[in-house]
Amino acid sequence: MHEQQAILQIEQAAGREYTYLGEDKSFFNSIGHFEVLDDMNCCAPTNSVLFAFYTKNRRKVMSAEEFLEFFAHCLERKESPENE
């Protein structure tokens, strides 16, 4: 259930940038976009879907539940970075 909700949320967020304003201090005020990741565990693949928040210099990989919580603390950026 959470995975389907998270996938739908990411599909709706495609092509948009977001600013994270939650409690995770290592990503607070970071600007990035979201993507669904393929299962990267080559030795023991699972059926789990992973989600990522990509910033300019790094990414945060999350489960569906973690993504939904993280995304709830993001604001869509209306202006483009060139205009800052």
Side-chain angles (χ1 to χ4, degrees):
M1 174 86 148
H2 290 287
E3 284 183 359
Q4 290 300 329
Q5 186 179 3
I7 290 169
L8 179 61
Q9 194 73 48
I10 282 196
E11 287 174 351
Q12 293 173 347
R16 300 180 186 150
E17 286 195 326
Y18 290 84
T19 302
Y20 175 72
L21 300 173
E23 295 180 14
D24 183 342
K25 292 180 181 173
S26 63
F27 279 91
F28 183 79
N29 217 25
S30 292
I31 298 165
H33 68 277
F34 294 96
E35 292 184 17
V36 176
L37 298 177
D38 293 325
D39 188 344
M40 296 178 288
N41 187 353
C42 63
C43 300
T46 67
N47 290 329
S48 297
V49 178
L50 296 175
F51 304 86
F53 179 63
Y54 283 90
T55 68
K56 184 177 181 180
N57 301 317
R58 59 192 176 141
R59 74 178 178 182
K60 179 176 179 73
V61 177
M62 302 166 271
S63 69
E65 293 84 2
E66 291 168 329
F67 162 76
L68 292 169
E69 175 65 25
F70 189 91
F71 190 79
H73 298 285
C74 290
L75 292 176
E76 182 180 350
R77 293 179 49 83
K78 300 295 182 192
E79 68 277 352
S80 62
E82 307 87 52
N83 296 337
E84 294 179 357

